[in-house]
Amino acid sequence: MSILSGKKILLGVTAGIAAYKTAHLVRLFIKSGAEVKVVMTPASVDFVTPLTLSTLSQNPVYTSFYDKGEEETEEWNSHVDLGLWADYMIIAPATANTLSKMANGVCDNLLLAVYLSAKCKVFFAPAMDLDMYKHPTTKKSIEKLQSYGNIFIPPSTGFLASGLEGEGRMEEPENIVSFIENDIVTKLPLYNKKVLITAGPTYEAIDPVRFIGNHSSGKMGFELAKSAANLGATVYLISGPSNEKITHSLVYRYNVVSAEEMYQEVHKHYQSVDIAILSAAVADYKPKEISATKIKKSSDCMTIEMVQTKDILASLGKQKENQFLVGFALETNNEIENATIKLQKKNLDLIVLNSLQDKGAGFKNETNKVTIIDKFEKISEFSLKSKAEVAEDIFKEILNRIYV
């Protein structure tokens, strides 16, 4: 999954030969998981058809302030609504004519009206002939636009439509997408940070067939991983057996089964991370002996001697240097008291408390209701929310403490 997944992208297309590349650019944005709408200048339709871009974007393409209906009725295309809709606006290709108009506030078509109304970050990718690109007025337009906060995607060097060779080619669609993704990621609060997250249950073998486990689905941990990645972090997700799936360029998943395997994998990464969140439901006990063969039913009762597993969270608390360490507590009674004791005993910075007394919280639910306690015993209570929203709340609490 790309950092652009779920984002709303408004693509502005102007009248340059490089407009033919916008079909591929739209396809790449869609492939990244973004929603795309396209606004074209009236002259750009001579270079690429609205039908092509509408089909690829799966949205109507806007070329004028109003559309005529079948019975000569007119439907207004609101430049204000389009400007408010977008998370990011990209103008590609951006001709010398459009750059000059953008820089000087000229508003003589829908695309320029949308640009002047946009509340989001705006990227622009110039495309023109070599001499036009080097002209002082073009350079001045680019400088002006950058001074307004717009993001310049430099053109590449190569063969131009005129037959000349030099600077002025619109950057290739793959590079435009990469440029935008990189610009977004590098400005996120957890960029260059590493986050370790554990998720799911552990299974402790009794024999080759049977195991002792719990009902954890891993969903909370996976949502935490998504949230961390969307904040720009490189994420090491260590998961016990889980049906949850995640595809994100910043998430590295490591699958384990037992508490011992999770202990070993966590300790491989812990020293290199900035934040560790242990949301996995790790078994506290495991069978002392594992039968090499399937245990046959021989009587009404069977006794299994159990021994404690290694306490992963406590071991991390003892080794903690500069890491921000977060644990989870699932309680059924004396919730705040028990969670606070765990917080202090294991040297945590935050603990996230789940109570099985709360309807809709705990294992296998799509929702969760948490209380967060920090090392100063400040308590923050949250209402019942989706686990994705809970993950966002947890990271807000973490960010509020690591960037004070």
Side-chain angles (χ1 to χ4, degrees), residues 95-168:
T95 60
N97 180 49
T98 294
L99 289 175
S100 178
K101 289 178 178 180
M102 290 166 61
N104 292 286
V106 177
C107 185
D108 62 0
N109 61 44
L110 178 62
L111 173 57
L112 291 164
V114 172
Y115 163 71
L116 291 171
S117 302
K119 302 297 183 186
C120 61
K121 184 180 289 188
V122 178
F123 297 84
F124 64 98
M128 62 199 73
D129 205 69
L130 174 64
D131 294 330
M132 294 175 68
Y133 180 67
K134 289 191 170 183
H135 197 278
T137 57
T138 303
K139 295 298 184 184
K140 188 173 182 180
S141 294
I142 291 171
E143 289 169 5
K144 260 192 180 183
L145 290 171
Q146 288 180 289
S147 74
Y148 300 155
N150 298 305
I151 310 298
F152 172 45
I153 303 177
S156 60
T157 299
F159 287 104
L160 305 170
S162 64
L164 297 175
E165 184 177 357
E167 202 173 9

Side-chain angles (χ1 to χ4, degrees), residues 273-308:
V273 304
D274 302 285
I275 300 167
I277 306 175
L278 274 68
S279 66
V282 182
D284 293 319
Y285 291 89
K286 64 180 180 179
K288 185 176 181 179
E289 300 290 340
I290 302 173
S291 174
T293 58
K294 180 182 176 183
I295 299 171
K296 298 295 184 180
K297 184 167 63 176
S298 59
S299 64
D300 292 338
C301 298
M302 183 176 73
T303 300
I304 300 175
E305 187 177 358
M306 308 287 283
V307 294
Q308 283 191 359

Side-chain angles (χ1 to χ4, degrees), residues 230-244:
N230 288 336
L231 290 168
T234 298
V235 182
Y236 304 126
L237 174 62
I238 301 169
S239 175
S242 172
N243 292 323
E244 294 294 317

Side-chain angles (χ1 to χ4, degrees), residues 145 195 254:
L145 290 171
V195 178
Y254 303 87

Side-chain angles (χ1 to χ4, degrees), residues 135-203:
H135 197 278
T137 57
T138 303
K139 295 298 184 184
K140 188 173 182 180
S141 294
I142 291 171
E143 289 169 5
K144 260 192 180 183
L145 290 171
Q146 288 180 289
S147 74
Y148 300 155
N150 298 305
I151 310 298
F152 172 45
I153 303 177
S156 60
T157 299
F159 287 104
L160 305 170
S162 64
L164 297 175
E165 184 177 357
E167 202 173 9
R169 284 173 60 97
M170 186 180 90
E171 187 56 275
E172 294 305 314
E174 290 87 354
N175 295 335
I176 289 176
V177 174
S178 295
F179 183 100
I180 293 168
E181 288 176 331
N182 187 61
D183 183 83
I184 295 168
V185 168
T186 56
K187 293 172 183 174
L188 291 172
L190 289 180
Y191 174 67
N192 263 347
K193 299 291 186 184
K194 294 179 181 178
V195 178
L196 184 153
I197 296 170
T198 66
T202 62
Y203 289 172

Side-chain angles (χ1 to χ4, degrees), residues 58-75:
Q58 303 165 36
N59 273 312
V61 168
Y62 305 92
T63 59
S64 64
F65 286 99
Y66 63 88
D67 297 322
K68 283 191 175 181
E70 293 181 1
E71 299 179 1
E72 296 300 313
T73 58
E74 295 178 356
E75 184 176 341

